[in-house]
Amino acid sequence: MDTTKKGDKLEDQVFEVFESQIAEDCFFSKREFCKIFRKKGYYSKDREKNIIFDVSIEVTLPGQERYSLLFLIECKNYGHSVPVDDAEEFFTKIQQISGAGAKGIIVSTNSFQDGAFKFSRSKGIGLLRYFSKDRLEWVLTRSPSSMASSSIASSERSNSYQALHDESFGSRYFDFYGCVNDTYTVSSNQFFSSLARTDADPDFLKALAAVEQSTKESRLCVPYLEREEIESRAVAILSEIEYVSGAVSINSICDYLKVNSALVVKTNANLPCGVLGQIAFGPDIISIDNDQASTNERTRFTLAHELGHYLLEHGKFMARESCHEEDIAIDDFDAIDLKDLRRLEWQANYFASCLLLPKEQFEKEVFWQAQKYELSDRGFGLLYLDDQRCNIDAFHKVTAPLMQMFQVSRTVVKLRLIKLGFLNEGG
């Protein structure tokens, strides 16, 4: 793709994201006060003609006929980091625009050089790094940057810092990482609000507050599902394949869905490095990379996880998800910054554990193992796991046959035992 086409593609993408945020009323300013343009010209006295900007957003304060705030956006689709020269050239164009105070933003598909950071900070220019949907591993139906609310001070350990400074950085689900005045953020709401407030006088700030949206998360509102509801959906699909006992036949479930739904399941897929499985909606396709999953237990849980997304109707909230090893067989999603995404992943994992370890059959087997090893509930559950050798041995004796019978990992068995109240862990 030539340079012009690459630039046009980025401009289109940036325009579409912010146009959508404004239309959905999740932009930093309420939509009735905003107008967004592609390739609009603004008059320069120095040139005696208009200067064309890639994307511009005009915000009009109440009682004003003309916009009071103007965001001018320059897009850079480079194969290298953005140099200071580009920031300097962009600033000279901003200075020539008469009328309301203009705020400059450079959006890049790559990182920014240190000189570009220093110059942009001194001139009040905001920096954004954009990741298109085809580069993300979780693609949500709403722009993630419109849902986020976090911002942090400069820290070389933070993802936001790395995204803007490191060319090789890859984003899993955020479409934008931004920086204004040495404050890094993944929230477009906070980014634009901070930029609008740069060097603003008190009267302007007071008027601006009237058109701003709340800085709280604009959420997808993934519904909360009780564990019993998720369990019932797993039981329903097990009933359809007439499951009785032992390891659940994932192939039978896939065969049933092939006949009774539009879902397509592809095994032995060739997925990007580190991706065990993937689901895409519209059309609905689950792909599993058996080579990367490497074990039967991991392959089964990955497929059950993706089936969870499908059968829990997560296509309403996401367009695509890629599943890594750290995303499955775990119960802690604190590393995921979006509440709705955490909920989607937890629901899919819980469904997978309910599907692969059906409650009635699992409980019967646990009680049988407890009786076999003369274990009883002494107020801490049938099993208590701490650093004592006897408790560790009991845990391994009980879980080993469960792993073999249901063809799942010990971690999956452990989490199911905890959720059903059979296992407590010591501090």
Side-chain angles (χ1 to χ4, degrees):
M1 185 182 296
D2 64 39
T3 304
T4 300
K5 289 183 179 179
K6 284 180 64 178
D8 289 344
K9 180 181 179 180
L10 177 58
E11 292 164 20
D12 290 340
Q13 290 172 327
V14 171
F15 177 85
E16 289 170 4
V17 170
F18 292 136
E19 182 186 44
S20 176
Q21 289 187 13
I22 292 170
E24 294 171 358
D25 212 14
C26 56
F27 190 61
F28 104 100
S29 173
K30 298 172 186 176
R31 63 186 173 192
E32 60 263 34
F33 301 106
C34 294
K35 292 181 180 179
I36 185 169
F37 302 93
R38 174 91 157 77
K39 294 294 189 185
K40 182 174 179 178
Y42 294 87
Y43 187 72
S44 164
K45 290 183 179 180
D46 296 340
R47 300 189 185 188
E48 296 184 355
K49 65 177 183 179
N50 286 342
I51 298 178
I52 306 297
F53 290 88
D54 295 338
V55 178
S56 58
I57 302 173
E58 300 173 357
V59 179
T60 304
L61 299 180
Q64 302 295 315
E65 295 184 1
R66 191 171 183 270
Y67 63 82
S68 310
L69 183 61
L70 176 63
F71 295 105
L72 300 171
I73 301 174
E74 180 102 336
C75 299
K76 301 294 182 184
N77 196 352
Y78 289 166
H80 56 79
S81 57
V82 178
V84 65
D85 293 353
D86 284 13
E88 291 173 341
E89 181 181 350
F90 181 45
F91 181 67
T92 60
K93 292 194 292 185
I94 297 172
Q95 283 185 305
Q96 297 177 54
I97 304 305
S98 59
K103 304 292 183 178
I105 300 170
I106 302 176
V107 178
S108 172
T109 55
N110 212 308
S111 58
F112 296 86
Q113 294 180 13
D114 187 58
F117 269 96
K118 292 176 179 176
F119 181 84
S120 297
R121 180 178 61 241
S122 68
K123 302 302 182 183
I125 296 174
L127 303 179
L128 284 173
R129 185 171 182 181
Y130 172 69
F131 291 86
S132 63
K133 289 183 179 180
D134 58 0
R135 298 178 62 189
L136 302 177
E137 294 177 353
W138 278 299
V139 179
L140 305 180
T141 53
R142 175 175 288 180
S143 166
S145 60
S146 73
M147 299 164 58
S149 61
S150 62
S151 65
I152 56 173
S154 175
S155 168
E156 294 186 11
R157 294 189 299 273
S158 74
N159 282 340
S160 297
Y161 183 95
Q162 292 297 323
L164 288 146
H165 289 265
D166 182 359
E167 286 190 53
S168 63
F169 180 87
S171 178
R172 297 199 69 183
Y173 54 93
F174 278 120
D175 48 355
F176 283 107
Y177 291 84
C179 179
V180 179
N181 298 326
D182 278 340
T183 297
Y184 292 78
T185 183
V186 290
S187 166
S188 59
N189 188 306
Q190 290 192 346
F191 175 86
F192 279 95
S193 180
S194 297
L195 189 58
R197 282 170 156 69
T198 301
D199 300 325
D201 61 55
D203 290 339
F204 178 82
L205 293 177
K206 184 178 180 180
L208 182 64
V211 305
E212 278 193 295
Q213 298 282 17
S214 168
T215 57
K216 295 179 181 179
E217 284 187 76
S218 172
R219 298 184 56 195
L220 277 173
C221 297
V222 173
Y224 172 78
L225 294 179
E226 297 283 353
R227 291 177 183 171
E228 291 77 11
E229 171 64 19
I230 298 174
E231 190 101 45
S232 69
R233 298 201 192 186
V235 170
I237 194 68
L238 290 171
S239 176
E240 294 292 347
I241 65 167
E242 300 180 349
Y243 169 79
V244 177
S245 63
V248 172
S249 173
I250 294 290
N251 290 336
S252 294
I253 295 176
C254 292
D255 290 341
Y256 170 81
L257 292 173
K258 182 179 180 180
V259 174
N260 294 279
S261 73
L263 179 67
V264 174
V265 177
K266 299 179 179 179
T267 56
N268 297 313
N270 184 19
L271 298 177
C273 182
V275 178
L276 309 184
Q278 188 176 85
I279 186 168
F281 294 95
D284 304 330
I285 301 172
I286 290 176
S287 302
I288 303 296
D289 192 324
N290 290 343
D291 289 339
Q292 294 199 75
S294 72
T295 67
N296 178 55
E297 294 78 13
R298 190 176 290 135
T299 297
R300 284 167 55 79
F301 195 90
T302 302
L303 181 49
H305 172 97
E306 302 298 8
L307 287 171
H309 282 309
Y310 180 75
L311 293 169
L312 295 175
E313 301 178 349
H314 288 172
K316 298 175 182 177
F317 313 104
M318 63 166 61
R320 188 181 73 242
E321 180 251 22
S322 296
C323 186
H324 291 242
E325 183 174 355
E326 60 265 29
D327 301 325
I328 63 172
I330 60 173
D331 202 37
D332 181 4
F333 296 97
D334 288 343
I336 299 177
D337 299 319
L338 293 180
K339 293 180 181 178
D340 283 282
L341 191 49
R342 286 200 297 270
R343 180 167 288 181
L344 290 170
E345 290 302 290
W346 183 88
Q347 289 179 2
N349 270 4
Y350 192 70
F351 177 89
S353 67
C354 295
L355 187 71
L356 297 177
L357 298 170
K359 183 179 179 181
E360 183 178 346
Q361 291 75 13
F362 183 73
E363 287 182 334
K364 286 181 180 178
E365 186 62 24
V366 171
F367 284 125
W368 192 90
Q369 293 297 328
Q371 184 178 16
K372 177 181 177 181
Y373 294 107
E374 299 181 346
L375 301 173
S376 61
D377 189 343
R378 300 178 181 179
F380 298 99
L382 287 175
L383 294 167
Y384 184 77
L385 187 58
D386 56 11
D387 57 359
Q388 294 187 49
R389 186 74 261 170
C390 59
N391 290 332
I392 295 173
D393 288 343
F395 171 71
H396 281 267
K397 286 178 181 179
V398 170
T399 55
L402 296 173
M403 293 164 57
Q404 183 175 5
M405 173 175 288
F406 295 101
Q407 295 182 29
V408 296
S409 70
R410 179 167 273 116
T411 300
V412 175
V413 172
K414 177 183 175 182
L415 289 175
R416 190 70 162 140
L417 289 169
I418 292 173
K419 295 300 183 186
L420 294 176
F422 291 117
L423 171 64
N424 276 288
E425 290 189 276

